[in-house]
């Protein structure tokens, strides 16, 4: 089945075929003359698409095939751009009147559309290009030459790691000695001598093979039989088994030279026989799949002789699958520290760690920063510099041209090959999502949520078997982390999710190169692409550097086909052309851009296809009025700005799913009676909503302007919430307030069953657990709620929430301890309680709890400080807080000592911390989940 998402390699070809089919079934397909044109385009492109899909499956297509696919890709983009213009012009011609009148106007406009807009000539031009593409395929006989005819065989880039001299290695002693100690001592204190597996996992080029080999050399003398084999992406089991047997010092002499005719089954059987009563050490290098491990590991018996297997892999899931027993270990290899990286770099060039001249130290630091602690990159670039003059200008040239050198210079070929192995192993959808990261500058921390929304807006993701686009995009994100293509940033949250990622600088160079090859992203930065040398249309533009020359080039460039515009260069907004030139934009990102308030954004209303708009962390004070015309807009982010009010007519944005704003942002005009708040109910695609309630404008002592107006406020908000619930799209609701006026109106609210998060940050306390919190909320995973008191019934209700992972409770009263029984809370991992009540956990309570945060008030002296931490088997972190002005110093000391004693006695040895500004910490945790 042809893909229906946008692809880096073949562009919009798949979605275009689907779009043409939809037009045939819609009103345009019923118009005389139009149906014939659409049908002809659809048939031609469907045939071409089938051929492209066949060629896309080739591992190493011929250069002519690559060029032909490139022509098809650009053609598909241009056809879609023309169709979008065509539809928009027809739509504008028939906006007013009934259906029949609209139909007549469209039909009349078609008769003169060619002369008025040049559409006719454009369609004929596209037809000619389609014919040309088809003719080229036939004339060059691409089906006969689809595979590369190169006889060049590449050398295994890992070969040098097996023969690296120990004296030339840096930073390996610590990790090697740690693993050697584990390999030797694991199992010493048990009667059964298990076979243990060590998985070394990490990014390509970090030195996994080198580390495994060093461990192997250190302990090989302790084993009867040893072998070191590589598996690679396409494992040949027969060859691997033959290789292992050939290295066996314990092999029977009668099998020498007879293994050539053995099949996989016989090889595995013989190997098991050889090893059944031997202590063996096996290194299995470069495993790429769980299936490969399953096929190989069955040859190595569990023989109770303390045998050891070391595997290396780039993929976290593979590493985990190899370590299925509790006695096994997964080791995440780290990049070299700055100190070790510098030592390796200078030793390779100057022969000693302190041999670098002062004039080269600054540029050396910049080069090392780009290497990011990657030993392979450091070794390769140092080899390149060793042949250069020790002149600063020469080294600066190397620094600026590392990306180009990865492609062209033989010295860096190994780096490119190693990193490209990981890229080539990705399926097309993940390749596309990875290449998109080339729009971000070096060392950029990329927000997960923002990235997923961009992928969706670009059309890279489609729904899959009951999973939403966002869920599918999220799975792509974590798969890129799993395959070590991107690096997670920050701590993992309570729900096991990573909030952000970054791309290693060397991998970024690879994906920038591949993006340029497919004309996927054009990156303009210092030392990068020059627009004046381009011969192709720009599809996506990332501006990371700007000057007068670039400004002139942009002015003369056809920008009407640009689908994404990301501007990160400081001060470049003054050089940016008017938005009207970017008529095909789907994604517009001005995040953090200085001077945006001086840029004319009134033309934004002409970006009819815009789906993602970020103005985050800019100095704008109002949104452009034309934003309400963006009927396809799905994400609008203006957090960190000075915008305080949404423009009138905002409710027209019926496809908006993510509205990200500051708390102070008001609903449009009529804020006094909240009449326009009803518009929120029309945003039926909205999945996240944060509401800031400000009652400061109501005079509750006034007879006519206070209480009645406030109650009307409640009714309007509740009405909008009910509409959103009816859409079944709302996933997250946060309510903020600076005072304690009642939220009791929420008591009559029916919580949508799909809601995943409810947070409140206000001085209002519910009397007890609201009725809408019940086991029917099967998706609720995060709850932050204020209660006057938590009763046993309320605690039982919370414990019955099946998906609850994160719970923050703020309790107003309570003089006695409440006990968490050994039932309920089947999934809870993260718990914070701010209360005067003491807390006690009985055995079996909260079986999966990993994080516990408690605040102790003076009432603790009446309840005691023992809380039963020993009954929480998965506990990893314990934090306690002391609100300012509450309790005496001796009470703080007593509480801390009591908790510390419990923490130290726990078998998991959890981390322990104290917060003296507890409420700020609580607020930070609420923000972190937004």
């Amino acid at each position: 089945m042809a893909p229906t998402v946008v692809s880096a390699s073949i562009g919009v070809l798949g979605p275009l075929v689907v779009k043409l089919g939809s037009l045939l079934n819609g009103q345009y397909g019923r118009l005389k003359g139009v149906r014939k044109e659409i049908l002809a385009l659809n048939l031609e492109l469907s045939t071409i698409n089938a051929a492209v899909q066949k060629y896309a499956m080739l591992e190493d297509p011929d250069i002519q095939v690559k060029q032909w696919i490139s022509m098809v890709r650009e053609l598909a983009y241009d056809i879609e751009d023309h169709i979008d213009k065509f539809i928009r012009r027809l739509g504008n011609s028939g906006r007013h009147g009934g259906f029949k009148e609209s139909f007549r106007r469209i039909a009349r406009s078609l008769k003169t559309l060619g002369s008025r807009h040049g559409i006719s000539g454009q369609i004929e031009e596209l037809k000619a290009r389609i014919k040309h593409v088809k003719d080229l395929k036939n004339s060059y006989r691409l089906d006969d030459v689809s595979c590369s005819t190169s006889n060049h065989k590449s050398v295994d880039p890992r070969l040098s790691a097996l023969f690296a001299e120990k004296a030339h290695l840096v930073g390996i002693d610590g990790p090697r000695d740690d693993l050697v100690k584990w390999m030797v001592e694991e199992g010493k204190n048990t009667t059964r001598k298990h076979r243990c597996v060590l998985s070394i996992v990490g990014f390509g080029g970090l030195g996994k093979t080198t580390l495994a080999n060093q461990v192997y050399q250190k302990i090989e003398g302790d084993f009867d039989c040893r072998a070191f084999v590589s598996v690679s992406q396409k494992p040949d089991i027969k060859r691997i088994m033959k290789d292992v047997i050939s290295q066996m010092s314990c092999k029977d002499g009668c099998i020498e030279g007879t293994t050539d005719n053995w099949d996989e089954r016989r090889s595995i059987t013989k190997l098991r026989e050889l090893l059944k009563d031997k202590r063996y050490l096996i290194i299995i290098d470069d495993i790429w799949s769980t299936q490969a491990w399953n096929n190989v590991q069955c040859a190595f018996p569990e023989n109770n002789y303390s045998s050891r297997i070391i595997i290396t892999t780039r993929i976290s899931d593979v590493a985990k699958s190899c370590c299925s027993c509790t006695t096994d270990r997964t080791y995440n290899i780290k990049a070299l520290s700055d100190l070790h990286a510098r030592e390796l770099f200078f030793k390779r060039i100057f022969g000693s760690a302190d041999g670098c001249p002062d004039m080269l130290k600054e540029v050396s630091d910049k080069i090392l920063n780009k290497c990011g602690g990657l030993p392979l990159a450091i070794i390769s670039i140092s080899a390149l510099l060793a042949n250069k003059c020790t002149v600063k200008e020469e080294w600066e040239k190397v620094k600026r041209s590392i990306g180009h050198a990865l492609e062209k210079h033989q010295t860096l070929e190994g780096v490119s090959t190693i990193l490209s192995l990981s890229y080539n192993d990705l399926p097309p959808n993940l390749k596309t999502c990875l290449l998109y990261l080339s729009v971000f500058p070096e060392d950029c921390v990329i927000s997960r949520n923002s990235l997923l929304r961009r992928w969706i807006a670009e059309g890279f993701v489609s729904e899959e078997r009951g999973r939403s686009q966002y869920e599918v995009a999220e799975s792509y994100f974590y798969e890129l982390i799993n395959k070590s293509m991107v690096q997670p940033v920050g701590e993992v949250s309570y729900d096991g999710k990573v909030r952000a990622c970054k791309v290693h600088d060397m991998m970024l160079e690879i994906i920038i190169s591949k993006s340029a090859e497919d004309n996927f992203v054009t990156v303009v930065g210092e030392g990068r692409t020059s627009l004046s040398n381009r011969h192709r249309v720009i599809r996506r533009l990332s501006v990371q550097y700007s000057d007068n020359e670039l400004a002139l080039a942009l002015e003369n460039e056809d920008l009407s086909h640009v689908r994404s515009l990301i501007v990160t260069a400081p001060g470049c907004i003054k050089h940016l052309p008017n938005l009207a030139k970017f008529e095909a934009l789907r994604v517009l990102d001005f995040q953090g851009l200085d001077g945006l308030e001086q840029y004319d954004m009134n033309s934004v209303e002409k970006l009819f296809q815009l789906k993602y708009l970020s103005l985050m962390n800019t100095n704008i004070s109002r949104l452009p009025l034309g934003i309400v015309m963006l009927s396809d807009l799905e994400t609008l982010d203006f957090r960190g700005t000075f915008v305080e009010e949404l423009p009138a007519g905002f409710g027209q944005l019926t496809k908006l799913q993510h509205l990200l704003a500051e708390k102070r942002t008001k609903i449009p005009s009529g804020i006094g009676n909240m009449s326009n708040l009803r518009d929120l109910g029309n945003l039926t695609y909205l999945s996240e909503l944060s509401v800031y309630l400000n009652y400061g404008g109501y005079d509750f002592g006034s007879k006519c302007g206070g209480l009645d107006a406030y109650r009307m406020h409640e009714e309007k908000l509740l009405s909008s919430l009910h509409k959103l619930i009816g859409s079944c799209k709302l996933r997250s609701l946060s309510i903020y307030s600076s005072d304690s006026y009642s939220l009791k109106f929420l008591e009559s609210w029916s919580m949508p069953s799909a809601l995943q998060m409810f947070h409140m940050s206000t001085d209002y306390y519910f009397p007890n657990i609201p009725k809408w919190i019940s086991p029917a909320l099967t998706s609720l995973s995060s709850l932050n709620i204020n209660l006057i008191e938590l009763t046993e019934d309320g605690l039982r209700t919370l414990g019955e929430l099946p998906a609850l992972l994160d719970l923050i409770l703020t309790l107003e009263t309570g003089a006695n301890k409440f006990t968490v029984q050994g039932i309920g809370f089947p999934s809870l991992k993260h718990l914070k309680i701010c209360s005067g009540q003491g807390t006690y956990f009985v055995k079996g309570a909260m079986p999966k709890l990993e994080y516990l945060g408690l605040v102790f008030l003076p009432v603790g002296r009446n309840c005691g400080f023992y809380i039963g931490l020993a009954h929480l088997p998965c506990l990893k972190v314990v934090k306690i807080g002391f609100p300012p002005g509450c309790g005496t110093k001796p009470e703080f000391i007593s509480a801390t000592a009591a908790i510390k004693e419990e923490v130290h006695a726990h078998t998991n040895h959890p981390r322990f911390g104290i917060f003296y500004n507890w409420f700020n910490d609580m607020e930070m945790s609420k923000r972190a989940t937004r």
Side-chain angles (χ1 to χ4, degrees):
M1 181 178 177
T4 57
V5 294
V6 178
S7 161
S9 59
I10 62 174
V12 297
L13 185 56
L16 178 58
V17 172
V18 174
K19 178 180 283 190
L20 289 171
S22 299
L23 290 178
L24 283 172
N25 296 324
Q27 66 174 352
Y28 302 110
R30 298 194 296 271
L31 296 175
K32 185 177 179 181
V34 176
R35 180 176 180 83
K36 182 179 178 181
E37 299 287 353
I38 294 176
L39 185 60
L41 282 176
N42 196 29
L43 289 174
E44 294 282 18
L45 290 174
S46 296
T47 304
I48 292 174
N49 190 32
V52 168
Q53 295 304 318
K54 183 177 71 172
Y55 297 148
M57 296 175 66
L58 297 173
E59 181 179 352
D60 188 17
D62 179 87
I63 188 171
Q64 288 182 328
V65 173
K66 289 182 179 179
Q67 182 61 31
W68 185 78
I69 290 176
S70 175
M71 293 177 65
V72 171
R73 179 181 62 241
E74 298 304 309
L75 174 60
Y77 274 126
D78 290 343
I79 291 175
E80 185 179 53
D81 286 344
H82 284 302
I83 287 175
D84 289 338
K85 290 180 184 178
F86 179 69
I87 293 172
R88 185 167 73 247
R89 289 171 182 174
L90 288 181
N92 289 342
S93 298
R95 277 189 178 174
H96 306 290
F99 176 77
K100 290 183 178 179
E101 178 59 25
S102 174
F103 196 93
R104 291 192 193 100
R105 288 181 180 178
I106 291 174
R108 287 196 300 268
S109 69
L110 283 173
K111 295 178 181 178
T112 58
L113 198 58
S115 58
R116 289 190 293 115
H117 298 294
I119 292 291
S120 177
Q122 292 169 355
I123 290 178
E124 290 303 316
E125 179 188 337
L126 293 174
K127 284 182 177 179
R129 287 176 63 185
I130 291 175
K131 184 178 183 302
H132 178 60
V133 164
K134 289 181 64 179
D135 291 344
L136 279 179
K137 177 179 178 294
N138 296 328
S139 63
Y140 287 119
R141 298 181 179 178
L142 295 185
D143 289 333
D144 298 331
V145 295
S146 56
C147 292
S148 175
T149 56
S150 172
N151 292 320
H152 173 70
K153 291 186 178 180
S154 60
V155 178
D156 186 344
R158 295 176 299 276
L159 198 59
S160 60
L162 300 179
F163 301 100
E165 295 290 343
K166 182 178 179 301
H168 295 162
L169 301 177
V170 172
I172 203 168
D173 291 353
R176 180 203 60 204
D177 293 345
D178 174 29
L179 297 181
V180 165
K181 182 179 179 181
W182 179 84
M183 294 283 282
V184 172
E185 294 187 357
E186 180 61 31
K188 271 189 175 180
N189 300 323
T190 60
T191 56
R192 191 178 176 198
K193 306 301 181 182
H194 291 279
R195 181 195 76 179
C196 294
V197 178
L198 168 67
S199 291
I200 302 176
V201 60
F203 185 65
L206 276 175
K208 299 182 294 296
T209 302
T210 301
L211 177 58
N213 191 42
Q214 288 298 304
V215 173
Y216 177 82
Q217 292 181 17
K218 195 82 171 176
I219 63 175
E220 60 179 329
D222 298 336
F223 295 84
D224 303 319
C225 300
R226 300 161 297 279
F228 194 123
V229 292
S230 291
V231 175
S232 300
Q233 287 169 309
K234 293 186 176 181
D236 181 343
I237 302 301
K238 181 180 177 180
R239 179 197 60 79
I240 293 168
M241 293 300 108
K242 179 183 175 182
D243 194 2
V244 173
I245 291 173
S246 71
Q247 297 180 55
M248 291 287 110
S249 57
C250 58
K251 66 177 179 286
D252 192 336
C254 66
I255 66 171
E256 193 74 48
T258 63
T259 58
D260 290 343
N261 298 324
W262 290 1
D263 60 12
E264 290 89 344
R265 182 173 179 178
R266 186 174 181 185
S267 298
I268 291 172
T269 301
K270 188 60 182 179
L271 188 53
R272 288 182 64 87
E273 184 181 329
L274 286 171
L275 298 177
K276 66 181 179 181
D277 56 356
K278 302 291 190 300
R279 188 184 189 209
Y280 58 82
L281 171 64
I282 308 293
I283 310 293
I284 306 173
D285 186 39
D286 200 31
I287 294 184
W288 288 80
S289 70
T290 300
Q291 185 60 51
W293 164 249
N294 291 337
N295 291 340
V296 171
Q297 66 97 19
C298 62
F300 307 108
E302 171 57 87
N303 57 12
N304 206 27
Y305 280 91
S306 295
S307 296
R308 300 289 184 260
I309 299 176
I310 303 176
I311 72 104
T312 70
T313 183
R314 307 178 186 208
I315 304 172
S316 296
D317 283 352
V318 173
K320 292 173 185 175
S321 70
C322 296
C323 297
S324 56
C325 298
T326 55
T327 53
D328 297 336
R329 179 179 179 183
T330 299
Y331 180 81
N332 288 280
I333 190 169
K334 301 288 191 270
L336 291 178
S337 66
D338 291 344
L339 181 65
H340 284 141
R342 188 186 303 271
E343 181 184 350
L344 177 61
F345 187 65
F346 292 150
K347 270 188 175 181
R348 289 275 176 164
I349 301 174
F350 304 110
S352 67
D354 55 358
C356 180
D358 290 342
M359 64 179 179
L360 297 178
K361 286 183 178 179
E362 183 180 352
V363 65
S364 295
D365 287 342
K366 293 177 181 178
I367 292 172
L368 284 169
N369 183 61
K370 198 167 191 66
C371 292
L374 200 66
L376 179 65
I378 295 171
I379 291 169
S380 300
I381 294 176
S382 61
L384 179 63
L385 289 170
N387 295 318
K388 299 282 185 182
C389 298
T390 52
V391 177
K392 184 178 180 181
E393 288 73 19
E394 288 293 318
W395 284 41
E396 288 282 1
K397 288 179 184 178
V398 170
K399 178 187 74 70
R400 290 194 300 268
S401 63
I402 284 176
H404 181 263
L406 281 171
E407 300 177 63
K408 306 296 183 184
H409 206 288
Q410 284 187 333
T411 308
L412 299 186
E413 183 181 7
V415 181
S416 180
T417 301
I418 284 286
L419 298 183
S420 294
L421 281 174
S422 294
Y423 173 80
N424 294 335
D425 187 58
L426 296 176
N429 54 343
L430 291 185
K431 284 181 179 176
T432 301
C433 291
L434 178 67
L435 292 188
Y436 187 75
L437 301 184
S438 59
V439 304
F440 298 102
E442 290 180 2
D443 302 320
C444 178
V445 175
I446 305 165
S447 161
R448 181 199 70 208
N449 288 337
S450 172
L451 180 60
L452 304 192
R453 292 167 190 148
R454 292 166 188 253
W455 283 347
I456 292 170
E458 288 278 2
F460 302 156
V461 183
S462 63
E463 293 181 354
E464 293 180 4
R465 294 187 179 181
R467 292 196 300 170
S468 68
Q469 283 183 306
Y470 194 86
E471 290 168 336
V472 173
E474 192 171 48
S475 72
Y476 291 175
F477 177 82
Y478 286 112
E479 190 59 20
L480 289 176
I481 290 177
N482 174 48
K483 292 181 178 292
S484 301
M485 302 304 298
V486 299
Q487 304 163 337
V489 176
E491 291 188 6
V492 177
S493 63
Y494 69 88
D495 52 4
K497 295 183 177 181
V498 175
R499 300 301 187 194
C501 72
K502 65 183 299 186
V503 185
H504 192 284
D505 284 355
M506 301 307 290
M507 178 56 76
L508 183 60
E509 294 292 350
I510 295 291
I511 65 176
I512 287 174
S513 171
K514 293 187 180 296
S515 290
E517 182 181 329
D518 289 340
N519 196 30
F520 186 62
V521 174
T522 300
V523 179
V524 180
E526 192 171 9
R528 297 202 189 276
T529 303
S530 172
L531 291 179
S532 59
N533 296 326
R534 289 184 52 81
H535 302 289
R536 292 190 288 186
V537 171
I538 298 176
R539 302 298 177 186
R540 293 169 188 84
L541 179 62
S542 175
V543 182
Q544 301 171 13
Y545 173 80
S546 181
D547 54 18
N548 292 330
E549 183 181 347
L550 174 64
L552 182 61
L554 283 175
E555 280 296 332
N556 296 325
E557 189 77 30
D558 178 10
L559 302 173
S560 63
H561 300 281
V562 177
R563 292 169 171 246
S564 288
L565 175 62
I566 297 92
V567 185
T568 57
C572 80
I573 194 68
K574 59 185 178 182
H575 299 308
L576 196 68
N578 191 279
L579 285 178
K581 296 191 68 174
F582 299 90
E583 59 187 66
L585 277 184
R586 272 78 168 166
V587 171
L588 177 58
D589 183 5
F590 285 152
Q591 179 175 333
L593 197 57
D594 292 335
L596 184 62
E597 68 280 5
Q598 301 170 16
Y599 181 65
D600 180 10
M601 289 197 63
N602 290 325
S603 298
V604 73
E605 64 185 40
K606 298 179 180 178
L607 308 180
F608 297 101
Q609 297 172 82
L610 196 67
K611 295 185 176 183
Y612 179 98
L613 175 59
S614 177
L615 308 171
M616 182 180 176
N617 294 335
T618 61
N619 290 327
I620 62 168
S621 56
R622 66 180 183 87
L623 295 174
L625 298 179
I627 204 169
V628 300
M629 302 296 292
L630 306 179
S631 58
D632 284 340
L633 195 65
E634 296 173 354
T635 296
L636 175 60
D637 188 351
F638 55 95
R639 291 170 293 177
T641 68
F642 298 100
V643 175
E644 296 187 354
E645 190 168 0
L646 298 175
F650 196 78
Q652 295 173 207
L653 302 180
T654 57
K655 292 185 179 180
L656 193 68
Q657 298 181 39
H658 307 283
L659 176 59
L660 306 166
E662 287 298 304
K663 292 179 183 178
R664 63 177 175 270
T665 305
K666 302 174 184 176
I667 303 302
S669 64
I671 192 69
N673 59 23
M674 301 300 289
S675 61
N676 287 304
L677 189 57
R678 294 185 183 274
D679 290 347
L680 280 177
N682 296 328
L683 306 180
T684 54
Y685 283 83
L686 200 67
S687 62
E688 301 177 35
L689 177 63
S690 295
V691 180
Y692 181 68
L693 302 178
N694 184 358
Y695 299 102
Y698 297 108
D699 180 6
F700 287 92
S702 167
K703 205 170 186 180
C704 56
L707 189 58
D708 289 343
Y710 163 69
R711 284 176 176 165
M712 185 180 296
H713 179 135
E714 288 182 344
E715 291 172 6
K716 300 291 174 65
L717 177 59
L718 194 59
S719 172
S720 293
L721 290 177
H722 274 302
K723 288 183 180 180
L724 291 174
I725 295 164
S727 73
C728 295
K729 297 288 186 181
L730 193 64
R731 297 290 184 269
S732 171
L733 175 63
S734 299
I735 297 181
Y736 301 88
S737 176
S738 58
D739 46 45
S740 59
Y741 288 112
S742 176
L743 297 182
K744 193 172 181 179
F745 66 94
L746 286 178
E747 285 282 350
S748 59
W749 186 40
S750 298
M751 183 82 80
S753 60
L755 196 78
Q756 298 172 3
M757 187 187 87
F758 175 81
H759 281 197
M760 59 186 294
S761 180
T762 171
D763 291 336
Y764 173 74
Y765 288 77
F766 287 108
N768 44 47
I769 295 292
K771 293 178 181 178
W772 39 262
I773 296 182
S774 72
L777 297 175
T778 55
S779 298
L780 188 67
S781 61
S782 183
L783 176 63
N784 181 344
I785 192 167
N786 301 347
L787 300 171
I788 291 178
E789 186 173 8
L790 181 61
T791 63
E792 287 188 13
D793 287 342
L795 186 62
R796 189 178 302 111
T797 298
L798 293 176
E800 291 173 348
L801 295 170
L804 192 64
L805 296 171
D806 173 46
L807 176 61
I808 301 177
L809 288 171
T810 304
L811 308 178
E812 188 176 53
T813 61
N816 300 311
K817 275 192 176 183
F818 65 82
T819 300
V820 182
Q821 301 294 337
I823 55 174
F825 299 101
S827 305
L828 194 70
K829 291 185 175 182
H830 190 281
L831 173 66
K832 283 187 176 182
I833 302 176
C834 178
S835 167
Q837 294 177 266
T839 307
Y840 175 71
F841 301 92
V842 303
K843 190 173 183 179
M846 300 186 177
K848 296 184 179 179
L849 193 71
E850 297 178 358
Y851 179 103
L852 176 63
L854 298 170
V855 63
F856 285 88
L857 299 178
V859 72
R861 61 177 172 236
N862 300 323
C863 303
F865 296 114
Y866 181 73
I867 53 181
L869 294 184
H871 298 149
L872 302 173
C874 294
L875 198 62
K876 295 180 180 178
V877 180
V878 177
K879 293 187 178 180
I880 60 174
F882 300 104
C886 294
T888 63
K889 186 174 181 179
E891 288 171 342
F892 296 158
I893 293 173
S894 297
T896 303
I899 301 300
K900 272 187 177 180
E901 185 177 348
E902 282 197 73
V903 169
H904 292 156
H906 198 287
T907 55
N908 293 351
H909 305 296
R911 296 202 314 270
F912 177 68
I914 302 173
F915 280 96
Y916 292 97
N917 198 353
W918 173 263
F919 294 104
N920 280 354
D921 179 55
M922 295 276 280
E923 180 62 25
M924 288 298 292
S925 74
K926 295 170 187 175
R927 292 178 183 175
T929 59
R930 290 177 59 186

